[in-house]
Amino acid sequence: MESWLKSCGAKGLDDLKLADFPGTGRGVKTLQSFKQGDTILTIPSDVLWTVDHAYADPVLGPVLRSVQPPLSTEDILAVYLLFVRSREGDWMYDGLQSHIAALPTSYSSSVFFDEKELEVCAGSSLYTVTKQLQQLLVDDYRALVVRVLGPHPELFPLDKFTLDDYIWALCTVWSRSMDFVLPEGKSIRLVAPFADMLNHSSEVKQCHVYDPKSGNLSILAGKDYKAGDQAFINYGPIPNNRLLRLYGFVIPGNPHDSYDLVLATHSLAPLFKEKQKLWPKAGLESTSTIALTLTDPLPKSVLRYLRIQRLSEADLASVKLQKANVADEQISKSNESEVLQFLVESFTGILDGFGIQLEKLEEQLAKDFYPVGSNSWAAAHVSLGEQRVLGLARKRAQYLLTVVESGEDGKAGAPSATSKACAYCGQESSQLMVCGRCKSVAYCGRQCQVAHYKNGHKAVCKAPAPGKTEVK
């Protein structure tokens, strides 16, 4: 593969080498030192796997272009990969085939887990999505056979385009492609030979760059490297449930763990048509998926959605008058209480639905109950992360409900100066960290302080007036 890439104009390959590393497996090794920001690799446009190149292929292109409606980007790239792999002995594809020969023959994405392995994360969003995806892949393959593969057996012999082959090709696209937004607002997805061997590290800055003028893909040094180091790229702030589904690995203690909360309202619900007009004003839709994270386990958007969903006819008139920031604050005490009570009950129900509860998972992982690196071990870390996020979300909702029902403040989420609990998550502690500026609220840790500041405290955080007594 390297010789072919060099002959096509790739640069930097003399200073890099494919190698096996403990913990991450196959990756890219540096053969010299680099400073952060140096260009370490450039892959020319002509050798990239892209939709445009698939369409331009003299044999495959006419078939793909004739399919209406067009195939998805993922399916086009998957078919392109399998088509090239099937053209044994065809010199036109020798270079691309050398890349395919370097690809893994199997993947560890969650779609390949057996039932016992997947059951470890039962109750998680990954469990549900993986079950749905496994059936969807079967349905999509059958549709692909009808629309593309079956009508052209001379190009797509079904013994080389099986369901297993299709899933392998999709996993190749999911785990090795890069996405870029172009200046005119369009986007491009590509797979770059050799560059796709770089592993992920959150310790490096984003360092893969696409030049829309030349069409070349470049990799920069995301940090300083010494000769012999493994070079990395940064996939971005991705939670474990997505890492395992798309890339086949997890990061223990991932700070980006999240839970996707789906909020929906039936069209026959009371006042639905009026509420349907209000959600867009709040930056939402009648069905909204909102990410709960470790740093923001209960986003304002969740409260905005449910405040509108739970509107009574009496509250509706006042809300309609709002032109901006609809439902950004408490509408009425009864509405707020209903919303927060619903959230507490919902989060409790979701947490109770996990097959293995948080405390037991933590104990199992501490005792190496699951072999490190195994599918079950990875599934356990996904479940662990999601339950931690949901636990924080429930604590936050419980705290806000206490504030509303106690009448300490007219606005849910406003910190109570006299509270001995964390102003964000509500967790009681004897060692709270007081806000260094206003001195009026305290937190159980840095994460809650940052989250609370972003979610409203910033607007009210002011240094105490001279001579004013501070709350201790």
Side-chain angles (χ1 to χ4, degrees), residues 40 101 111 173 216 344:
I40 65 175
V111 292
V173 174
N216 297 343
V344 171

Side-chain angles (χ1 to χ4, degrees), residues 7-51:
S7 70
C8 295
K11 298 178 180 179
L13 290 169
D14 289 334
D15 300 321
L16 302 170
K17 178 183 178 181
L18 296 181
D20 292 320
F21 295 89
T24 60
R26 177 64 66 92
V28 175
K29 181 179 181 179
T30 60
L31 301 180
Q32 69 162 54
S33 60
F34 292 99
K35 289 293 185 182
Q36 182 177 321
D38 289 348
T39 300
I40 65 175
L41 177 66
T42 299
I43 304 297
S45 171
D46 290 345
V47 302
L48 301 176
W49 299 86
T50 66
V51 169

